[in-house]
Amino acid sequence: DASGKWTLKPSKPLVNGVYDVSAVESDGAEKTLSDNTKDELAVNVAPPPPAPAADKPYDCVSTIARIAAVFPVRFEFNKDALSGPYEGSVNQYAALLKDARCLALKVEVAGHADFIGSEKYNQGLSERRAKTVVDVLTKAGIAEARLTAKGFSKDKPLDPATTNEARMKNRRVEFTVTQ
């Protein structure tokens, strides 16, 4: 331009290095000026920004904990069949276990009972509860090899109180990732 500033428009991207410059200026009235200079232009192209870090892998274990907090699996007194909203709760676990990001998970399905009844009876009841949930999961398409059913009788109460509400909380199935 009139103040001596110029713009370089290369036909292909430049890489770091030193370049020879040939400048030609024409005033449009048949007057032309040329300048050929060796090693006149140094180019330092900034490296491209690093690729964004890969997203953190999906945390299947934490997701199971969140499902447990929102969708508990509970049973009525002296029952091993799912009723009410609890089959829907099991379906939440099935959906997670079917998720392509969680296909490697293996899960222990742990059945529990309240304190009413003998140890022997509650052991069988807690095992049947765990088996009921495993059956629902396998019918939903989860490979049985990924599931282990285990009964804990009344040995691991969620709430040690003896109220009806505490007993209801203890009649449950919990999920623990084993692999």
Side-chain angles (χ1 to χ4, degrees):
D1 67 11
S3 63
K5 294 181 182 176
W6 54 277
T7 302
L8 178 66
K9 295 182 181 178
S11 59
K12 61 183 180 177
L14 297 177
V15 296
N16 290 346
V18 178
Y19 291 84
D20 298 335
V21 176
S22 294
V24 177
E25 179 184 12
S26 173
D27 65 2
E30 299 181 18
K31 186 176 178 187
T32 303
L33 296 172
S34 296
D35 180 14
N36 293 317
T37 310
K38 299 280 187 192
D39 300 328
E40 183 175 33
L41 180 65
V43 174
N44 288 314
V45 178
D55 289 336
K56 288 174 48 176
Y58 186 70
D59 188 350
C60 300
V61 176
S62 292
T63 303
I64 282 183
R66 287 194 306 273
I67 291 172
V70 177
F71 299 100
V73 179
R74 303 236 198 287
F75 293 85
E76 293 180 26
F77 176 70
N78 201 29
K79 303 284 184 197
D80 58 21
L82 289 167
S83 62
Y86 301 120
E87 191 161 352
S89 294
V90 174
N91 290 334
Q92 296 293 320
Y93 292 96
L96 177 70
L97 293 170
K98 285 185 194 179
D99 187 305
R101 299 168 291 184
C102 300
L103 293 176
L105 285 185
K106 290 188 178 185
V107 177
E108 177 185 271
V109 179
H112 299 271
D114 64 24
F115 67 89
I116 305 292
S118 71
E119 179 65 32
K120 182 178 179 180
Y121 179 79
N122 280 334
Q123 181 62 39
L125 180 60
S126 65
E127 289 171 4
R128 289 191 306 275
R129 288 174 173 168
K131 173 112 173 60
T132 294
V133 171
V134 166
D135 289 346
V136 171
L137 291 171
T138 56
K139 285 179 186 169
I142 308 303
E144 195 167 353
R146 296 175 60 199
L147 307 168
T148 304
K150 194 169 186 179
F152 288 96
S153 183
K154 56 187 174 183
D155 297 337
K156 295 184 176 187
L158 192 61
D159 186 338
T162 58
T163 64
N164 284 338
E165 187 176 280
R167 289 178 42 228
M168 182 185 74
K169 288 179 188 176
N170 293 329
R171 297 188 301 261
R172 71 194 190 280
V173 162
E174 294 180 325
F175 295 78
T176 304
V177 175
T178 59
Q179 183 182 3

